[in-house]
Amino acid sequence: MSINATLIGQMITFALLVWFTMKYVWPPLINSLEERKKKISEGLAAAEKGQEEILLAEQKAKSILKDAKDQSSEIVNMAQKRATEIVEESKEAAKKEGERQIVAAQAQIEQEIQHAKESLRKEVADLAFNMAEQILQAEVDQNKHQDIVQKVSNQLG
Amino acid sequence: MSTEAHAAEGATGYIIHHLTPLSAGHGFWALHLDTIFFSVFLGGVFLWFFKSAAEKATTGVPGLAQNFAEMLVEFVDTQVKDSFHGKSAVIAPLALSIFCWVFLWNFMDLFPVDIFPMIGSLMGLEYLRVVPSTDLNATFGMSLSVFFLIIFYSIKIKGVGGFAKELLLQPFGPWFMPFNLLLKLVEEIAKPISLGLRLFGNLYAGELIFILIALLPWFIQPVLSFPWAVFHILIITLQAFIFMVLTIVYLSMAHEHH
């Protein structure tokens, strides 16, 4: 239990141990600890930033969506307006066309009536002439009574 | 268990045998070979482990060894930052070395008391004391180194004049100069002595109790040595911790101006 040279040996050993620890052990370990701390705090900061960005993006998306909605409703309104316009226009056109057709049809009808009258008159004249011929038989000479026939025929027209 | 040569001397012989170091040389120049061998070996274990952990240190996900080393480094770093407010590249590594080295010294206490002496006797070594902290030379070697560091830093930070002033003028002012000097000297010298003796006393007593338990009949031994060993797990860590913390405190006191 006596104090002896072992003491000196131990002190030298201790000095070497401390020197080695100072030089080769402590710095890399404490550095890696610090670096990791930094990394983690950076990561946390980045995560926070990311969340903020998400919020911003959400707001942006909302405003874009709102714009799109407004635009689409505007377009729909315009389209509706245009559609009523088109309907109005076509109504107008149809009306005009109808009137035109009516006028043409009336003209044709008039013409037809005129025509029918003409042919009817001719037929009636022929018929009357035939009938009179049958009734009078030989008593009436075509040439003799030419003026009478003409008179009747004119009356029929 | 002891060799037959010592069995004849009974219990006292057994105890003395276990507490006698393997030494070479005479008088002051004797060397306790076992103390030197085991402390150097344990220091090597400490350095090897931490060096390999430090070499592989990454800032990413740490491995098991790195994790453990970092845990100790961070623990020591916290202790240093708690009590020492200056900037020093020495104190934290010093504290880590002290903590780990003393812990490993003390850890040798947990091996059954007879194992290493038995192996030693097989190798032809008459005595073998494996716990370096039961050797005053080891504990004082460390505490005196700390003492020299205290003196060194006191002079480095405060200057020779500042340190002398502190020794002479405190705590009672210039009229009590010799008295102040006496008080201060006692205070300073008490630091290494208490550091070294505390560690030595705790471990020496613990070892002695293990040896006493080993003298009892075999069926009683586990009943006593198991709780004592469990208790010792606390003691050896605590003693290493105390040595480290006091070193930090003393060195931070040396850095402070009064």
Short mmCIF file of all heavy atoms in Angstrom, two decimals, chain B residues 195-224:
data_model
loop_
_atom_site.label_atom_id
_atom_site.label_comp_id
_atom_site.label_asym_id
_atom_site.label_seq_id
_atom_site.Cartn_x
_atom_site.Cartn_y
_atom_site.Cartn_z
N LEU B 195 -9.81 13.44 -3.23
CA LEU B 195 -10.15 12.74 -4.47
C LEU B 195 -9.57 11.33 -4.48
O LEU B 195 -10.28 10.34 -4.73
CB LEU B 195 -9.59 13.50 -5.68
CG LEU B 195 -10.46 14.48 -6.43
CD1 LEU B 195 -9.69 15.00 -7.64
CD2 LEU B 195 -11.73 13.80 -6.91
N GLY B 196 -8.26 11.25 -4.20
CA GLY B 196 -7.59 9.96 -4.30
C GLY B 196 -8.05 9.01 -3.21
O GLY B 196 -8.29 7.83 -3.47
N LEU B 197 -8.17 9.54 -1.98
CA LEU B 197 -8.52 8.65 -0.87
C LEU B 197 -9.95 8.17 -0.96
O LEU B 197 -10.26 7.05 -0.58
CB LEU B 197 -8.32 9.36 0.46
CG LEU B 197 -6.89 9.37 0.99
CD1 LEU B 197 -6.83 10.06 2.35
CD2 LEU B 197 -6.36 7.95 1.12
N ARG B 198 -10.84 9.02 -1.47
CA ARG B 198 -12.25 8.61 -1.57
C ARG B 198 -12.39 7.39 -2.48
O ARG B 198 -13.00 6.40 -2.11
CB ARG B 198 -13.10 9.75 -2.10
CG ARG B 198 -14.58 9.38 -2.20
CD ARG B 198 -15.40 10.47 -2.82
NE ARG B 198 -15.31 11.72 -2.06
CZ ARG B 198 -14.66 12.79 -2.48
NH1 ARG B 198 -14.06 12.77 -3.66
NH2 ARG B 198 -14.64 13.88 -1.75
N LEU B 199 -11.80 7.51 -3.64
CA LEU B 199 -11.89 6.40 -4.59
C LEU B 199 -11.22 5.16 -4.03
O LEU B 199 -11.80 4.07 -4.03
CB LEU B 199 -11.23 6.81 -5.92
CG LEU B 199 -11.23 5.78 -7.02
CD1 LEU B 199 -12.65 5.40 -7.39
CD2 LEU B 199 -10.49 6.32 -8.24
N PHE B 200 -9.99 5.36 -3.51
CA PHE B 200 -9.26 4.23 -2.96
C PHE B 200 -10.05 3.57 -1.83
O PHE B 200 -10.24 2.36 -1.82
CB PHE B 200 -7.90 4.70 -2.46
CG PHE B 200 -7.20 3.70 -1.58
CD1 PHE B 200 -6.60 2.58 -2.15
CD2 PHE B 200 -7.15 3.86 -0.20
CE1 PHE B 200 -5.96 1.66 -1.35
CE2 PHE B 200 -6.53 2.93 0.60
CZ PHE B 200 -5.93 1.83 0.03
N GLY B 201 -10.54 4.39 -0.91
CA GLY B 201 -11.23 3.85 0.26
C GLY B 201 -12.46 3.05 -0.12
O GLY B 201 -12.66 1.94 0.36
N ASN B 202 -13.25 3.60 -1.00
CA ASN B 202 -14.47 2.90 -1.40
C ASN B 202 -14.18 1.55 -2.03
O ASN B 202 -14.79 0.54 -1.69
CB ASN B 202 -15.26 3.75 -2.39
CG ASN B 202 -16.24 4.65 -1.69
OD1 ASN B 202 -17.30 4.20 -1.28
ND2 ASN B 202 -15.88 5.90 -1.52
N LEU B 203 -13.23 1.56 -2.97
CA LEU B 203 -12.97 0.33 -3.70
C LEU B 203 -12.21 -0.67 -2.85
O LEU B 203 -12.44 -1.87 -2.93
CB LEU B 203 -12.21 0.66 -4.99
CG LEU B 203 -13.12 0.91 -6.19
CD1 LEU B 203 -13.80 -0.39 -6.56
CD2 LEU B 203 -14.16 1.98 -5.93
N TYR B 204 -11.29 -0.16 -2.01
CA TYR B 204 -10.54 -1.05 -1.15
C TYR B 204 -11.49 -1.76 -0.19
O TYR B 204 -11.43 -2.97 -0.03
CB TYR B 204 -9.50 -0.24 -0.38
CG TYR B 204 -8.46 -1.06 0.31
CD1 TYR B 204 -7.37 -1.57 -0.39
CD2 TYR B 204 -8.54 -1.34 1.68
CE1 TYR B 204 -6.41 -2.33 0.24
CE2 TYR B 204 -7.59 -2.10 2.32
CZ TYR B 204 -6.51 -2.59 1.59
OH TYR B 204 -5.57 -3.35 2.22
N ALA B 205 -12.38 -0.98 0.40
CA ALA B 205 -13.34 -1.58 1.34
C ALA B 205 -14.24 -2.57 0.62
O ALA B 205 -14.53 -3.66 1.14
CB ALA B 205 -14.17 -0.47 1.99
N GLY B 206 -14.69 -2.19 -0.58
CA GLY B 206 -15.56 -3.09 -1.33
C GLY B 206 -14.86 -4.40 -1.63
O GLY B 206 -15.42 -5.49 -1.45
N GLU B 207 -13.61 -4.28 -2.06
CA GLU B 207 -12.84 -5.48 -2.38
C GLU B 207 -12.64 -6.35 -1.14
O GLU B 207 -12.78 -7.57 -1.17
CB GLU B 207 -11.49 -5.04 -2.96
CG GLU B 207 -10.57 -6.17 -3.37
CD GLU B 207 -10.99 -6.84 -4.67
OE1 GLU B 207 -12.10 -6.54 -5.14
OE2 GLU B 207 -10.23 -7.66 -5.18
N LEU B 208 -12.36 -5.65 -0.03
CA LEU B 208 -12.14 -6.37 1.23
C LEU B 208 -13.38 -7.17 1.60
O LEU B 208 -13.29 -8.32 2.05
CB LEU B 208 -11.81 -5.36 2.33
CG LEU B 208 -11.20 -5.94 3.61
CD1 LEU B 208 -9.88 -6.60 3.28
CD2 LEU B 208 -11.00 -4.84 4.65
N ILE B 209 -14.54 -6.58 1.41
CA ILE B 209 -15.77 -7.30 1.77
C ILE B 209 -15.98 -8.49 0.85
O ILE B 209 -16.38 -9.57 1.29
CB ILE B 209 -16.96 -6.31 1.75
CG1 ILE B 209 -16.77 -5.34 2.90
CG2 ILE B 209 -18.29 -7.06 1.84
CD1 ILE B 209 -17.92 -4.51 3.26
N PHE B 210 -15.66 -8.31 -0.44
CA PHE B 210 -15.74 -9.48 -1.36
C PHE B 210 -14.83 -10.60 -0.87
O PHE B 210 -15.19 -11.78 -0.89
CB PHE B 210 -15.33 -9.07 -2.77
CG PHE B 210 -16.48 -8.51 -3.58
CD1 PHE B 210 -16.39 -7.26 -4.16
CD2 PHE B 210 -17.63 -9.26 -3.78
CE1 PHE B 210 -17.43 -6.75 -4.89
CE2 PHE B 210 -18.67 -8.76 -4.53
CZ PHE B 210 -18.57 -7.49 -5.08
N ILE B 211 -13.63 -10.21 -0.41
CA ILE B 211 -12.68 -11.23 0.05
C ILE B 211 -13.21 -11.91 1.31
O ILE B 211 -13.15 -13.14 1.46
CB ILE B 211 -11.31 -10.57 0.33
CG1 ILE B 211 -10.70 -10.06 -0.97
CG2 ILE B 211 -10.37 -11.57 0.99
CD1 ILE B 211 -9.50 -9.16 -0.77
N LEU B 212 -13.79 -11.11 2.21
CA LEU B 212 -14.35 -11.69 3.43
C LEU B 212 -15.48 -12.66 3.11
O LEU B 212 -15.58 -13.72 3.70
CB LEU B 212 -14.85 -10.58 4.37
CG LEU B 212 -13.76 -9.74 5.03
CD1 LEU B 212 -14.39 -8.63 5.86
CD2 LEU B 212 -12.89 -10.62 5.92
N ILE B 213 -16.34 -12.24 2.14
CA ILE B 213 -17.45 -13.13 1.76
C ILE B 213 -16.88 -14.42 1.19
O ILE B 213 -17.40 -15.52 1.43
CB ILE B 213 -18.37 -12.42 0.74
CG1 ILE B 213 -19.13 -11.28 1.43
CG2 ILE B 213 -19.37 -13.40 0.14
CD1 ILE B 213 -19.89 -10.38 0.49
N ALA B 214 -15.77 -14.29 0.42
CA ALA B 214 -15.20 -15.48 -0.20
C ALA B 214 -14.65 -16.45 0.85
O ALA B 214 -14.39 -17.62 0.54
CB ALA B 214 -14.09 -15.07 -1.16
N LEU B 215 -14.44 -15.97 2.07
CA LEU B 215 -13.94 -16.85 3.13
C LEU B 215 -15.04 -17.71 3.74
O LEU B 215 -14.77 -18.69 4.41
CB LEU B 215 -13.32 -16.00 4.25
CG LEU B 215 -11.90 -15.49 3.99
CD1 LEU B 215 -11.53 -14.46 5.05
CD2 LEU B 215 -10.92 -16.65 4.01
N LEU B 216 -16.30 -17.31 3.50
CA LEU B 216 -17.42 -18.03 4.12
C LEU B 216 -17.68 -19.34 3.38
O LEU B 216 -17.19 -19.54 2.27
CB LEU B 216 -18.67 -17.13 4.07
CG LEU B 216 -18.57 -15.85 4.89
CD1 LEU B 216 -19.72 -14.92 4.54
CD2 LEU B 216 -18.59 -16.17 6.37
N PRO B 217 -18.47 -20.22 4.00
CA PRO B 217 -18.80 -21.47 3.31
C PRO B 217 -19.49 -21.19 1.97
O PRO B 217 -20.16 -20.16 1.82
CB PRO B 217 -19.78 -22.15 4.28
CG PRO B 217 -19.48 -21.54 5.59
CD PRO B 217 -18.97 -20.18 5.37
N TRP B 218 -19.33 -22.11 1.04
CA TRP B 218 -19.76 -21.84 -0.35
C TRP B 218 -21.25 -21.57 -0.46
O TRP B 218 -21.68 -20.80 -1.31
CB TRP B 218 -19.37 -23.01 -1.25
CG TRP B 218 -20.10 -24.29 -0.91
CD1 TRP B 218 -19.68 -25.26 -0.07
CD2 TRP B 218 -21.37 -24.70 -1.41
NE1 TRP B 218 -20.59 -26.26 0.02
CE2 TRP B 218 -21.66 -25.95 -0.80
CE3 TRP B 218 -22.31 -24.15 -2.30
CZ2 TRP B 218 -22.83 -26.65 -1.06
CZ3 TRP B 218 -23.47 -24.86 -2.55
CH2 TRP B 218 -23.73 -26.08 -1.94
N PHE B 219 -22.07 -22.17 0.41
CA PHE B 219 -23.53 -21.99 0.24
C PHE B 219 -24.01 -20.64 0.78
O PHE B 219 -25.12 -20.23 0.51
CB PHE B 219 -24.29 -23.15 0.89
CG PHE B 219 -23.90 -23.42 2.32
CD1 PHE B 219 -24.52 -22.76 3.37
CD2 PHE B 219 -22.89 -24.33 2.59
CE1 PHE B 219 -24.13 -23.01 4.67
CE2 PHE B 219 -22.52 -24.60 3.89
CZ PHE B 219 -23.13 -23.94 4.93
N ILE B 220 -23.20 -19.99 1.57
CA ILE B 220 -23.59 -18.65 2.05
C ILE B 220 -23.10 -17.57 1.08
O ILE B 220 -23.71 -16.53 0.92
CB ILE B 220 -23.03 -18.39 3.46
CG1 ILE B 220 -23.51 -19.49 4.40
CG2 ILE B 220 -23.48 -17.03 3.99
CD1 ILE B 220 -22.98 -19.38 5.79
N GLN B 221 -21.99 -17.86 0.43
CA GLN B 221 -21.36 -16.85 -0.43
C GLN B 221 -22.30 -16.16 -1.42
O GLN B 221 -22.34 -14.93 -1.47
CB GLN B 221 -20.19 -17.49 -1.20
CG GLN B 221 -18.98 -17.69 -0.32
CD GLN B 221 -17.81 -18.22 -1.12
OE1 GLN B 221 -17.74 -18.00 -2.32
NE2 GLN B 221 -16.92 -18.91 -0.45
N PRO B 222 -23.08 -16.92 -2.21
CA PRO B 222 -23.94 -16.24 -3.20
C PRO B 222 -24.94 -15.31 -2.56
O PRO B 222 -25.21 -14.21 -3.07
CB PRO B 222 -24.66 -17.39 -3.91
CG PRO B 222 -23.87 -18.59 -3.61
CD PRO B 222 -23.22 -18.37 -2.29
N VAL B 223 -25.47 -15.73 -1.40
CA VAL B 223 -26.47 -14.92 -0.72
C VAL B 223 -25.92 -13.54 -0.39
O VAL B 223 -26.61 -12.53 -0.45
CB VAL B 223 -26.94 -15.64 0.57
CG1 VAL B 223 -28.01 -14.83 1.26
CG2 VAL B 223 -27.41 -17.04 0.26
N LEU B 224 -24.64 -13.50 -0.03
CA LEU B 224 -24.05 -12.22 0.36
C LEU B 224 -23.37 -11.51 -0.81
O LEU B 224 -23.50 -10.30 -0.97
CB LEU B 224 -23.02 -12.45 1.47
CG LEU B 224 -23.62 -12.93 2.78
CD1 LEU B 224 -22.51 -13.34 3.73
CD2 LEU B 224 -24.45 -11.83 3.41
#
